[in-house]
Amino acid sequence: QSVVTQPPSASGTPGQRVTISCSGSSSNIGRNTVNWYQQLPGTAPKLLIYSNNQRPSGVPDRFSGSKSGTSASLAISGLQSEDETDYYCAAWDDSLKGWVFGGGTKLTVL
Amino acid sequence: QVQLRQSGPGLVKPSQTLSLTCAISGDSVSSNSAAWHWIRQSPSRGLEWLGRTYYRSKWYRDYAVSVKSRITINPDTSKNQFSLQVNSVTPEDTAVFYCARVSSSGALDVWGQGTTVTVSS
């Protein structure tokens, strides 16, 4: 069981806006910033959002993040077929003294 | 551009030691603003943080509780790399292993290419 919880799946149609949730606790998301990763099959996770809502250089502004309390969300607007893959949230956990990851959400573009 | 290049065997026998290396280019393992991590991913455990090493006037190492008794992460300043050793492996240690960096962004922002390690006789 992951310390941080994500829905196992999400879906949307091209052009639509979808959100993926991430629920944690006071020792991780409640105290620290949240990062989001995109993982294409057979590749390493790629940083998509850091510090709750910051995009690294090169990440399209279709991707955005937010955090409130012990939960966070990733929003993808103008959904494209290439967005169909797995997404993970992560945060540092002060009690475990390590990174904790969500179980991942598989996004399907219908 | 920072790159991490992993190396190590893809097959390890049960009870033996898993050893992987992560070579750094574009940054320094001795950087005072970075930390160097190992993470693994398997269908049963998902993404699991294993540990880190970093330098802040001296070397620090932190390990996940789940593997603390079996794991060692060491920096190698002469080769600008860091390594992972997991002792007494079992088939449950079969996973894709990644090295990664945390920098001023506070996130695991650069990842190695991943190494699939299978524990089997």
Side-chain angles (χ1 to χ4, degrees), chain A residues 33 35 37 39 42-45 47 50-51 88 92 96-99 101-102, chain B residues 37 39 41 47-49 52 62 65 98 102 105-109 111-113:
Chain A
T33 59
N35 308 309
Y37 296 87
Q39 186 176 31
T43 70
L47 183 62
Y50 68 96
S51 295
Y88 295 88
W92 183 263
L96 296 174
K97 292 183 171 55
W99 288 99
F101 296 89
Chain B
H37 298 245
I39 297 111
Q41 184 175 30
L47 284 163
E48 179 185 16
W49 179 78
R52 66 176 177 176
D62 297 307
V65 171
Y98 295 101
V102 168
S105 68
L108 294 153
D109 60 356
W111 293 62
Q113 80 275 22

PDB file of all heavy atoms in Angstrom, chain A residues 33 35 37 39 42-45 47 50-51 88 92 96-99 101-102, chain B residues 37 39 41 47-49 52 62 65 98 102 105-109 111-113:
ATOM      1  N   THR A  33       6.557  20.129  -0.280  1.00  0.00           N
ATOM      2  CA  THR A  33       6.023  20.364  -1.621  1.00  0.00           C
ATOM      3  C   THR A  33       5.846  19.052  -2.382  1.00  0.00           C
ATOM      4  O   THR A  33       6.439  18.031  -2.046  1.00  0.00           O
ATOM      5  CB  THR A  33       6.952  21.294  -2.417  1.00  0.00           C
ATOM      6  OG1 THR A  33       8.247  20.686  -2.507  1.00  0.00           O
ATOM      7  CG2 THR A  33       7.085  22.647  -1.732  1.00  0.00           C
ATOM      8  N   ASN A  35       5.746  16.966  -6.075  1.00  0.00           N
ATOM      9  CA  ASN A  35       6.287  16.887  -7.433  1.00  0.00           C
ATOM     10  C   ASN A  35       5.507  15.856  -8.229  1.00  0.00           C
ATOM     11  O   ASN A  35       4.998  14.873  -7.664  1.00  0.00           O
ATOM     12  CB  ASN A  35       7.765  16.485  -7.396  1.00  0.00           C
ATOM     13  CG  ASN A  35       8.570  17.367  -6.460  1.00  0.00           C
ATOM     14  OD1 ASN A  35       8.524  18.593  -6.540  1.00  0.00           O
ATOM     15  ND2 ASN A  35       9.293  16.751  -5.547  1.00  0.00           N
ATOM     16  N   TYR A  37       5.459  13.404 -11.834  1.00  0.00           N
ATOM     17  CA  TYR A  37       6.302  12.777 -12.838  1.00  0.00           C
ATOM     18  C   TYR A  37       5.438  12.120 -13.904  1.00  0.00           C
ATOM     19  O   TYR A  37       4.371  11.580 -13.616  1.00  0.00           O
ATOM     20  CB  TYR A  37       7.214  11.719 -12.201  1.00  0.00           C
ATOM     21  CG  TYR A  37       8.188  12.324 -11.218  1.00  0.00           C
ATOM     22  CD1 TYR A  37       7.830  12.512  -9.888  1.00  0.00           C
ATOM     23  CD2 TYR A  37       9.441  12.749 -11.630  1.00  0.00           C
ATOM     24  CE1 TYR A  37       8.701  13.102  -8.990  1.00  0.00           C
ATOM     25  CE2 TYR A  37      10.322  13.341 -10.748  1.00  0.00           C
ATOM     26  CZ  TYR A  37       9.941  13.514  -9.426  1.00  0.00           C
ATOM     27  OH  TYR A  37      10.808  14.111  -8.538  1.00  0.00           O
ATOM     28  N   GLN A  39       5.755   9.117 -16.767  1.00  0.00           N
ATOM     29  CA  GLN A  39       6.605   7.988 -17.133  1.00  0.00           C
ATOM     30  C   GLN A  39       6.068   7.288 -18.368  1.00  0.00           C
ATOM     31  O   GLN A  39       4.994   6.674 -18.330  1.00  0.00           O
ATOM     32  CB  GLN A  39       6.746   6.987 -15.980  1.00  0.00           C
ATOM     33  CG  GLN A  39       7.743   5.885 -16.277  1.00  0.00           C
ATOM     34  CD  GLN A  39       7.971   4.947 -15.103  1.00  0.00           C
ATOM     35  OE1 GLN A  39       7.089   4.702 -14.302  1.00  0.00           O
ATOM     36  NE2 GLN A  39       9.202   4.423 -15.006  1.00  0.00           N
ATOM     37  N   GLY A  42       8.837   1.906 -20.434  1.00  0.00           N
ATOM     38  CA  GLY A  42      10.233   1.544 -20.621  1.00  0.00           C
ATOM     39  C   GLY A  42      11.234   2.652 -20.368  1.00  0.00           C
ATOM     40  O   GLY A  42      12.424   2.490 -20.666  1.00  0.00           O
ATOM     41  N   THR A  43      10.776   3.780 -19.824  1.00  0.00           N
ATOM     42  CA  THR A  43      11.696   4.894 -19.568  1.00  0.00           C
ATOM     43  C   THR A  43      11.620   5.326 -18.115  1.00  0.00           C
ATOM     44  O   THR A  43      10.718   4.941 -17.376  1.00  0.00           O
ATOM     45  CB  THR A  43      11.372   6.102 -20.457  1.00  0.00           C
ATOM     46  OG1 THR A  43      10.131   6.688 -20.034  1.00  0.00           O
ATOM     47  CG2 THR A  43      11.278   5.709 -21.918  1.00  0.00           C
ATOM     48  N   ALA A  44      12.595   6.140 -17.724  1.00  0.00           N
ATOM     49  CA  ALA A  44      12.612   6.660 -16.359  1.00  0.00           C
ATOM     50  C   ALA A  44      11.544   7.733 -16.190  1.00  0.00           C
ATOM     51  O   ALA A  44      11.159   8.397 -17.163  1.00  0.00           O
ATOM     52  CB  ALA A  44      13.984   7.239 -16.053  1.00  0.00           C
ATOM     53  N   PRO A  45      11.062   7.916 -14.978  1.00  0.00           N
ATOM     54  CA  PRO A  45      10.141   9.031 -14.734  1.00  0.00           C
ATOM     55  C   PRO A  45      10.786  10.363 -15.124  1.00  0.00           C
ATOM     56  O   PRO A  45      11.985  10.564 -14.934  1.00  0.00           O
ATOM     57  CB  PRO A  45       9.902   8.958 -13.216  1.00  0.00           C
ATOM     58  CG  PRO A  45      10.147   7.527 -12.871  1.00  0.00           C
ATOM     59  CD  PRO A  45      11.267   7.104 -13.773  1.00  0.00           C
ATOM     60  N   LEU A  47      10.450  14.551 -14.631  1.00  0.00           N
ATOM     61  CA  LEU A  47       9.861  15.584 -13.789  1.00  0.00           C
ATOM     62  C   LEU A  47       8.943  16.478 -14.597  1.00  0.00           C
ATOM     63  O   LEU A  47       9.374  17.080 -15.589  1.00  0.00           O
ATOM     64  CB  LEU A  47      10.970  16.400 -13.127  1.00  0.00           C
ATOM     65  CG  LEU A  47      10.513  17.487 -12.146  1.00  0.00           C
ATOM     66  CD1 LEU A  47       9.766  16.887 -10.969  1.00  0.00           C
ATOM     67  CD2 LEU A  47      11.709  18.320 -11.669  1.00  0.00           C
ATOM     68  N   TYR A  50       7.281  20.616 -10.204  1.00  0.00           N
ATOM     69  CA  TYR A  50       7.978  20.600  -8.916  1.00  0.00           C
ATOM     70  C   TYR A  50       7.480  21.752  -8.052  1.00  0.00           C
ATOM     71  O   TYR A  50       6.864  22.692  -8.549  1.00  0.00           O
ATOM     72  CB  TYR A  50       9.497  20.646  -9.102  1.00  0.00           C
ATOM     73  CG  TYR A  50      10.032  21.953  -9.654  1.00  0.00           C
ATOM     74  CD1 TYR A  50      10.521  22.933  -8.802  1.00  0.00           C
ATOM     75  CD2 TYR A  50      10.053  22.195 -11.018  1.00  0.00           C
ATOM     76  CE1 TYR A  50      11.014  24.125  -9.296  1.00  0.00           C
ATOM     77  CE2 TYR A  50      10.532  23.379 -11.534  1.00  0.00           C
ATOM     78  CZ  TYR A  50      11.021  24.347 -10.666  1.00  0.00           C
ATOM     79  OH  TYR A  50      11.511  25.537 -11.163  1.00  0.00           O
ATOM     80  N   SER A  51       7.751  21.652  -6.766  1.00  0.00           N
ATOM     81  CA  SER A  51       7.303  22.678  -5.813  1.00  0.00           C
ATOM     82  C   SER A  51       5.823  23.000  -5.988  1.00  0.00           C
ATOM     83  O   SER A  51       5.443  24.173  -6.026  1.00  0.00           O
ATOM     84  CB  SER A  51       8.141  23.951  -5.969  1.00  0.00           C
ATOM     85  OG  SER A  51       9.481  23.704  -5.618  1.00  0.00           O
ATOM     86  N   TYR A  88       2.842  10.027 -11.721  1.00  0.00           N
ATOM     87  CA  TYR A  88       3.100   9.766 -10.313  1.00  0.00           C
ATOM     88  C   TYR A  88       3.287  11.078  -9.555  1.00  0.00           C
ATOM     89  O   TYR A  88       3.923  12.004 -10.051  1.00  0.00           O
ATOM     90  CB  TYR A  88       4.377   8.936 -10.137  1.00  0.00           C
ATOM     91  CG  TYR A  88       4.304   7.554 -10.718  1.00  0.00           C
ATOM     92  CD1 TYR A  88       4.642   7.323 -12.045  1.00  0.00           C
ATOM     93  CD2 TYR A  88       3.909   6.475  -9.935  1.00  0.00           C
ATOM     94  CE1 TYR A  88       4.569   6.054 -12.584  1.00  0.00           C
ATOM     95  CE2 TYR A  88       3.847   5.193 -10.468  1.00  0.00           C
ATOM     96  CZ  TYR A  88       4.179   4.991 -11.802  1.00  0.00           C
ATOM     97  OH  TYR A  88       4.114   3.732 -12.324  1.00  0.00           O
ATOM     98  N   TRP A  92       8.459  14.475   0.000  1.00  0.00           N
ATOM     99  CA  TRP A  92       9.337  14.021   1.074  1.00  0.00           C
ATOM    100  C   TRP A  92       8.474  13.781   2.308  1.00  0.00           C
ATOM    101  O   TRP A  92       7.594  14.565   2.615  1.00  0.00           O
ATOM    102  CB  TRP A  92      10.399  15.075   1.357  1.00  0.00           C
ATOM    103  CG  TRP A  92      11.376  14.640   2.408  1.00  0.00           C
ATOM    104  CD1 TRP A  92      11.350  14.951   3.743  1.00  0.00           C
ATOM    105  CD2 TRP A  92      12.512  13.802   2.227  1.00  0.00           C
ATOM    106  NE1 TRP A  92      12.403  14.356   4.385  1.00  0.00           N
ATOM    107  CE2 TRP A  92      13.135  13.641   3.493  1.00  0.00           C
ATOM    108  CE3 TRP A  92      13.075  13.165   1.122  1.00  0.00           C
ATOM    109  CZ2 TRP A  92      14.292  12.873   3.665  1.00  0.00           C
ATOM    110  CZ3 TRP A  92      14.223  12.406   1.297  1.00  0.00           C
ATOM    111  CH2 TRP A  92      14.824  12.273   2.544  1.00  0.00           C
ATOM    112  N   LEU A  96       9.078   9.307   7.790  1.00  0.00           N
ATOM    113  CA  LEU A  96       9.843   8.207   7.203  1.00  0.00           C
ATOM    114  C   LEU A  96      11.249   8.647   6.806  1.00  0.00           C
ATOM    115  O   LEU A  96      12.125   7.815   6.578  1.00  0.00           O
ATOM    116  CB  LEU A  96       9.105   7.659   5.967  1.00  0.00           C
ATOM    117  CG  LEU A  96       7.739   7.034   6.225  1.00  0.00           C
ATOM    118  CD1 LEU A  96       7.067   6.663   4.904  1.00  0.00           C
ATOM    119  CD2 LEU A  96       7.867   5.818   7.116  1.00  0.00           C
ATOM    120  N   LYS A  97      11.451   9.964   6.726  1.00  0.00           N
ATOM    121  CA  LYS A  97      12.739  10.522   6.302  1.00  0.00           C
ATOM    122  C   LYS A  97      13.148   9.961   4.948  1.00  0.00           C
ATOM    123  O   LYS A  97      14.279   9.461   4.759  1.00  0.00           O
ATOM    124  CB  LYS A  97      13.810  10.273   7.361  1.00  0.00           C
ATOM    125  CG  LYS A  97      13.579  11.052   8.644  1.00  0.00           C
ATOM    126  CD  LYS A  97      14.697  10.829   9.648  1.00  0.00           C
ATOM    127  CE  LYS A  97      14.572  11.787  10.834  1.00  0.00           C
ATOM    128  NZ  LYS A  97      13.259  11.706  11.498  1.00  0.00           N
ATOM    129  N   GLY A  98      12.228  10.049   4.009  1.00  0.00           N
ATOM    130  CA  GLY A  98      12.509   9.593   2.654  1.00  0.00           C
ATOM    131  C   GLY A  98      11.415  10.037   1.713  1.00  0.00           C
ATOM    132  O   GLY A  98      10.379  10.567   2.134  1.00  0.00           O
ATOM    133  N   TRP A  99      11.642   9.849   0.427  1.00  0.00           N
ATOM    134  CA  TRP A  99      10.637  10.170  -0.580  1.00  0.00           C
ATOM    135  C   TRP A  99       9.539   9.114  -0.566  1.00  0.00           C
ATOM    136  O   TRP A  99       9.813   7.921  -0.436  1.00  0.00           O
ATOM    137  CB  TRP A  99      11.263  10.210  -1.970  1.00  0.00           C
ATOM    138  CG  TRP A  99      12.128  11.398  -2.206  1.00  0.00           C
ATOM    139  CD1 TRP A  99      13.483  11.467  -2.123  1.00  0.00           C
ATOM    140  CD2 TRP A  99      11.689  12.715  -2.565  1.00  0.00           C
ATOM    141  NE1 TRP A  99      13.914  12.735  -2.396  1.00  0.00           N
ATOM    142  CE2 TRP A  99      12.830  13.531  -2.674  1.00  0.00           C
ATOM    143  CE3 TRP A  99      10.438  13.292  -2.800  1.00  0.00           C
ATOM    144  CZ2 TRP A  99      12.779  14.886  -3.010  1.00  0.00           C
ATOM    145  CZ3 TRP A  99      10.374  14.644  -3.130  1.00  0.00           C
ATOM    146  CH2 TRP A  99      11.532  15.422  -3.226  1.00  0.00           C
ATOM    147  N   PHE A 101       6.030   7.946  -2.861  1.00  0.00           N
ATOM    148  CA  PHE A 101       5.426   8.088  -4.177  1.00  0.00           C
ATOM    149  C   PHE A 101       3.996   7.578  -4.157  1.00  0.00           C
ATOM    150  O   PHE A 101       3.682   6.620  -3.444  1.00  0.00           O
ATOM    151  CB  PHE A 101       6.206   7.275  -5.214  1.00  0.00           C
ATOM    152  CG  PHE A 101       7.619   7.734  -5.425  1.00  0.00           C
ATOM    153  CD1 PHE A 101       8.655   7.221  -4.642  1.00  0.00           C
ATOM    154  CD2 PHE A 101       7.936   8.655  -6.411  1.00  0.00           C
ATOM    155  CE1 PHE A 101       9.959   7.630  -4.842  1.00  0.00           C
ATOM    156  CE2 PHE A 101       9.236   9.069  -6.617  1.00  0.00           C
ATOM    157  CZ  PHE A 101      10.252   8.560  -5.827  1.00  0.00           C
ATOM    158  N   GLY A 102       3.170   8.189  -4.976  1.00  0.00           N
ATOM    159  CA  GLY A 102       1.851   7.637  -5.206  1.00  0.00           C
ATOM    160  C   GLY A 102       1.958   6.357  -6.015  1.00  0.00           C
ATOM    161  O   GLY A 102       3.001   6.068  -6.611  1.00  0.00           O
TER     162      GLY A 102
ATOM    163  N   HIS B  37      20.440   9.916  -5.120  1.00  0.00           N
ATOM    164  CA  HIS B  37      19.459   8.967  -4.618  1.00  0.00           C
ATOM    165  C   HIS B  37      19.398   7.697  -5.458  1.00  0.00           C
ATOM    166  O   HIS B  37      19.739   7.704  -6.638  1.00  0.00           O
ATOM    167  CB  HIS B  37      18.056   9.599  -4.647  1.00  0.00           C
ATOM    168  CG  HIS B  37      17.926  10.819  -3.783  1.00  0.00           C
ATOM    169  ND1 HIS B  37      17.101  10.861  -2.686  1.00  0.00           N
ATOM    170  CD2 HIS B  37      18.507  12.036  -3.871  1.00  0.00           C
ATOM    171  CE1 HIS B  37      17.177  12.059  -2.131  1.00  0.00           C
ATOM    172  NE2 HIS B  37      18.022  12.794  -2.833  1.00  0.00           N
ATOM    173  N   ILE B  39      16.390   4.716  -6.292  1.00  0.00           N
ATOM    174  CA  ILE B  39      14.967   4.383  -6.245  1.00  0.00           C
ATOM    175  C   ILE B  39      14.780   3.096  -7.036  1.00  0.00           C
ATOM    176  O   ILE B  39      15.506   2.858  -8.002  1.00  0.00           O
ATOM    177  CB  ILE B  39      14.119   5.504  -6.896  1.00  0.00           C
ATOM    178  CG1 ILE B  39      14.268   6.816  -6.123  1.00  0.00           C
ATOM    179  CG2 ILE B  39      12.640   5.117  -6.989  1.00  0.00           C
ATOM    180  CD1 ILE B  39      15.031   7.873  -6.891  1.00  0.00           C
ATOM    181  N   GLN B  41      11.698   0.315  -8.800  1.00  0.00           N
ATOM    182  CA  GLN B  41      10.309   0.226  -9.239  1.00  0.00           C
ATOM    183  C   GLN B  41       9.982  -1.203  -9.608  1.00  0.00           C
ATOM    184  O   GLN B  41      10.685  -1.822 -10.410  1.00  0.00           O
ATOM    185  CB  GLN B  41      10.064   1.161 -10.429  1.00  0.00           C
ATOM    186  CG  GLN B  41       8.634   1.216 -10.900  1.00  0.00           C
ATOM    187  CD  GLN B  41       8.423   2.243 -12.007  1.00  0.00           C
ATOM    188  OE1 GLN B  41       9.330   2.522 -12.788  1.00  0.00           O
ATOM    189  NE2 GLN B  41       7.244   2.829 -12.071  1.00  0.00           N
ATOM    190  N   LEU B  47       6.988   2.604  -7.102  1.00  0.00           N
ATOM    191  CA  LEU B  47       8.231   3.359  -6.940  1.00  0.00           C
ATOM    192  C   LEU B  47       8.584   3.399  -5.450  1.00  0.00           C
ATOM    193  O   LEU B  47       7.773   3.817  -4.631  1.00  0.00           O
ATOM    194  CB  LEU B  47       8.076   4.779  -7.474  1.00  0.00           C
ATOM    195  CG  LEU B  47       8.100   4.940  -8.989  1.00  0.00           C
ATOM    196  CD1 LEU B  47       7.522   6.286  -9.398  1.00  0.00           C
ATOM    197  CD2 LEU B  47       9.517   4.776  -9.520  1.00  0.00           C
ATOM    198  N   GLU B  48       9.789   2.959  -5.123  1.00  0.00           N
ATOM    199  CA  GLU B  48      10.213   2.863  -3.730  1.00  0.00           C
ATOM    200  C   GLU B  48      11.578   3.542  -3.572  1.00  0.00           C
ATOM    201  O   GLU B  48      12.558   3.126  -4.190  1.00  0.00           O
ATOM    202  CB  GLU B  48      10.302   1.399  -3.305  1.00  0.00           C
ATOM    203  CG  GLU B  48      10.755   1.188  -1.870  1.00  0.00           C
ATOM    204  CD  GLU B  48      10.954  -0.285  -1.521  1.00  0.00           C
ATOM    205  OE1 GLU B  48      11.027  -1.108  -2.451  1.00  0.00           O
ATOM    206  OE2 GLU B  48      11.044  -0.612  -0.315  1.00  0.00           O
ATOM    207  N   TRP B  49      11.633   4.550  -2.737  1.00  0.00           N
ATOM    208  CA  TRP B  49      12.890   5.227  -2.452  1.00  0.00           C
ATOM    209  C   TRP B  49      13.754   4.331  -1.575  1.00  0.00           C
ATOM    210  O   TRP B  49      13.273   3.755  -0.591  1.00  0.00           O
ATOM    211  CB  TRP B  49      12.607   6.545  -1.742  1.00  0.00           C
ATOM    212  CG  TRP B  49      13.826   7.336  -1.377  1.00  0.00           C
ATOM    213  CD1 TRP B  49      14.586   8.099  -2.204  1.00  0.00           C
ATOM    214  CD2 TRP B  49      14.413   7.442  -0.075  1.00  0.00           C
ATOM    215  NE1 TRP B  49      15.606   8.686  -1.490  1.00  0.00           N
ATOM    216  CE2 TRP B  49      15.530   8.303  -0.182  1.00  0.00           C
ATOM    217  CE3 TRP B  49      14.110   6.903   1.174  1.00  0.00           C
ATOM    218  CZ2 TRP B  49      16.335   8.636   0.903  1.00  0.00           C
ATOM    219  CZ3 TRP B  49      14.901   7.223   2.260  1.00  0.00           C
ATOM    220  CH2 TRP B  49      16.003   8.087   2.123  1.00  0.00           C
ATOM    221  N   ARG B  52      19.939   7.778  -0.010  1.00  0.00           N
ATOM    222  CA  ARG B  52      20.657   8.884  -0.627  1.00  0.00           C
ATOM    223  C   ARG B  52      21.992   9.107   0.046  1.00  0.00           C
ATOM    224  O   ARG B  52      22.214   8.670   1.183  1.00  0.00           O
ATOM    225  CB  ARG B  52      19.828  10.169  -0.527  1.00  0.00           C
ATOM    226  CG  ARG B  52      19.642  10.635   0.915  1.00  0.00           C
ATOM    227  CD  ARG B  52      18.895  11.956   0.993  1.00  0.00           C
ATOM    228  NE  ARG B  52      18.669  12.358   2.388  1.00  0.00           N
ATOM    229  CZ  ARG B  52      18.109  13.503   2.758  1.00  0.00           C
ATOM    230  NH1 ARG B  52      17.703  14.375   1.839  1.00  0.00           N
ATOM    231  NH2 ARG B  52      17.935  13.788   4.045  1.00  0.00           N
ATOM    232  N   ASP B  62      21.423   8.407   4.080  1.00  0.00           N
ATOM    233  CA  ASP B  62      20.136   8.072   4.682  1.00  0.00           C
ATOM    234  C   ASP B  62      19.545   6.905   3.912  1.00  0.00           C
ATOM    235  O   ASP B  62      19.629   6.875   2.689  1.00  0.00           O
ATOM    236  CB  ASP B  62      19.153   9.253   4.609  1.00  0.00           C
ATOM    237  CG  ASP B  62      19.660  10.448   5.389  1.00  0.00           C
ATOM    238  OD1 ASP B  62      19.978  10.282   6.568  1.00  0.00           O
ATOM    239  OD2 ASP B  62      19.726  11.549   4.811  1.00  0.00           O
ATOM    240  N   VAL B  65      13.795   2.641   5.759  1.00  0.00           N
ATOM    241  CA  VAL B  65      13.698   1.668   6.858  1.00  0.00           C
ATOM    242  C   VAL B  65      13.573   0.244   6.333  1.00  0.00           C
ATOM    243  O   VAL B  65      14.154  -0.698   6.888  1.00  0.00           O
ATOM    244  CB  VAL B  65      12.500   2.022   7.764  1.00  0.00           C
ATOM    245  CG1 VAL B  65      12.245   0.923   8.780  1.00  0.00           C
ATOM    246  CG2 VAL B  65      12.744   3.347   8.462  1.00  0.00           C
ATOM    247  N   TYR B  98      16.787   2.845 -10.329  1.00  0.00           N
ATOM    248  CA  TYR B  98      17.135   4.141 -10.890  1.00  0.00           C
ATOM    249  C   TYR B  98      18.015   4.916  -9.910  1.00  0.00           C
ATOM    250  O   TYR B  98      17.777   4.891  -8.698  1.00  0.00           O
ATOM    251  CB  TYR B  98      15.890   4.990 -11.131  1.00  0.00           C
ATOM    252  CG  TYR B  98      14.930   4.478 -12.164  1.00  0.00           C
ATOM    253  CD1 TYR B  98      13.763   3.809 -11.797  1.00  0.00           C
ATOM    254  CD2 TYR B  98      15.161   4.698 -13.522  1.00  0.00           C
ATOM    255  CE1 TYR B  98      12.865   3.356 -12.743  1.00  0.00           C
ATOM    256  CE2 TYR B  98      14.265   4.250 -14.477  1.00  0.00           C
ATOM    257  CZ  TYR B  98      13.124   3.581 -14.080  1.00  0.00           C
ATOM    258  OH  TYR B  98      12.238   3.142 -15.036  1.00  0.00           O
ATOM    259  N   VAL B 102      18.660  15.131  -6.576  1.00  0.00           N
ATOM    260  CA  VAL B 102      17.856  16.237  -6.067  1.00  0.00           C
ATOM    261  C   VAL B 102      18.751  17.457  -6.051  1.00  0.00           C
ATOM    262  O   VAL B 102      19.846  17.423  -5.504  1.00  0.00           O
ATOM    263  CB  VAL B 102      17.312  15.957  -4.654  1.00  0.00           C
ATOM    264  CG1 VAL B 102      16.739  17.238  -4.050  1.00  0.00           C
ATOM    265  CG2 VAL B 102      16.238  14.883  -4.686  1.00  0.00           C
ATOM    266  N   SER B 105      15.959  22.546  -6.972  1.00  0.00           N
ATOM    267  CA  SER B 105      14.509  22.496  -7.219  1.00  0.00           C
ATOM    268  C   SER B 105      13.791  21.773  -6.084  1.00  0.00           C
ATOM    269  O   SER B 105      12.583  21.887  -5.924  1.00  0.00           O
ATOM    270  CB  SER B 105      14.214  21.787  -8.539  1.00  0.00           C
ATOM    271  OG  SER B 105      14.545  20.400  -8.453  1.00  0.00           O
ATOM    272  N   GLY B 106      14.544  20.972  -5.331  1.00  0.00           N
ATOM    273  CA  GLY B 106      13.940  20.188  -4.264  1.00  0.00           C
ATOM    274  C   GLY B 106      13.264  18.929  -4.744  1.00  0.00           C
ATOM    275  O   GLY B 106      12.602  18.237  -3.979  1.00  0.00           O
ATOM    276  N   ALA B 107      13.415  18.651  -6.038  1.00  0.00           N
ATOM    277  CA  ALA B 107      12.770  17.478  -6.617  1.00  0.00           C
ATOM    278  C   ALA B 107      13.820  16.537  -7.198  1.00  0.00           C
ATOM    279  O   ALA B 107      14.944  16.946  -7.499  1.00  0.00           O
ATOM    280  CB  ALA B 107      11.798  17.902  -7.725  1.00  0.00           C
ATOM    281  N   LEU B 108      13.425  15.291  -7.370  1.00  0.00           N
ATOM    282  CA  LEU B 108      14.257  14.334  -8.102  1.00  0.00           C
ATOM    283  C   LEU B 108      14.181  14.757  -9.568  1.00  0.00           C
ATOM    284  O   LEU B 108      13.239  14.382 -10.272  1.00  0.00           O
ATOM    285  CB  LEU B 108      13.728  12.917  -7.902  1.00  0.00           C
ATOM    286  CG  LEU B 108      13.830  12.373  -6.476  1.00  0.00           C
ATOM    287  CD1 LEU B 108      12.757  11.329  -6.209  1.00  0.00           C
ATOM    288  CD2 LEU B 108      15.217  11.792  -6.229  1.00  0.00           C
ATOM    289  N   ASP B 109      15.140  15.561 -10.009  1.00  0.00           N
ATOM    290  CA  ASP B 109      14.971  16.226 -11.298  1.00  0.00           C
ATOM    291  C   ASP B 109      15.735  15.587 -12.440  1.00  0.00           C
ATOM    292  O   ASP B 109      15.422  15.832 -13.604  1.00  0.00           O
ATOM    293  CB  ASP B 109      15.327  17.718 -11.187  1.00  0.00           C
ATOM    294  CG  ASP B 109      16.760  17.962 -10.745  1.00  0.00           C
ATOM    295  OD1 ASP B 109      17.476  16.974 -10.435  1.00  0.00           O
ATOM    296  OD2 ASP B 109      17.155  19.142 -10.670  1.00  0.00           O
ATOM    297  N   TRP B 111      17.225  11.745 -13.744  1.00  0.00           N
ATOM    298  CA  TRP B 111      17.194  10.317 -13.468  1.00  0.00           C
ATOM    299  C   TRP B 111      18.146   9.584 -14.406  1.00  0.00           C
ATOM    300  O   TRP B 111      18.335   9.996 -15.561  1.00  0.00           O
ATOM    301  CB  TRP B 111      15.777   9.766 -13.667  1.00  0.00           C
ATOM    302  CG  TRP B 111      14.765  10.273 -12.685  1.00  0.00           C
ATOM    303  CD1 TRP B 111      14.364  11.578 -12.510  1.00  0.00           C
ATOM    304  CD2 TRP B 111      14.001   9.502 -11.760  1.00  0.00           C
ATOM    305  NE1 TRP B 111      13.403  11.651 -11.532  1.00  0.00           N
ATOM    306  CE2 TRP B 111      13.151  10.394 -11.060  1.00  0.00           C
ATOM    307  CE3 TRP B 111      13.921   8.138 -11.456  1.00  0.00           C
ATOM    308  CZ2 TRP B 111      12.260   9.964 -10.059  1.00  0.00           C
ATOM    309  CZ3 TRP B 111      13.032   7.712 -10.478  1.00  0.00           C
ATOM    310  CH2 TRP B 111      12.216   8.620  -9.788  1.00  0.00           C
ATOM    311  N   GLY B 112      18.682   8.465 -13.912  1.00  0.00           N
ATOM    312  CA  GLY B 112      19.422   7.577 -14.778  1.00  0.00           C
ATOM    313  C   GLY B 112      18.470   6.818 -15.685  1.00  0.00           C
ATOM    314  O   GLY B 112      17.247   6.931 -15.558  1.00  0.00           O
ATOM    315  N   GLN B 113      19.039   6.046 -16.580  1.00  0.00           N
ATOM    316  CA  GLN B 113      18.229   5.359 -17.583  1.00  0.00           C
ATOM    317  C   GLN B 113      17.506   4.132 -17.032  1.00  0.00           C
ATOM    318  O   GLN B 113      16.599   3.614 -17.666  1.00  0.00           O
ATOM    319  CB  GLN B 113      19.102   4.938 -18.782  1.00  0.00           C
ATOM    320  CG  GLN B 113      19.917   3.665 -18.586  1.00  0.00           C
ATOM    321  CD  GLN B 113      21.245   3.883 -17.901  1.00  0.00           C
ATOM    322  OE1 GLN B 113      21.464   4.871 -17.207  1.00  0.00           O
ATOM    323  NE2 GLN B 113      22.159   2.938 -18.090  1.00  0.00           N
TER     324      GLN B 113
END
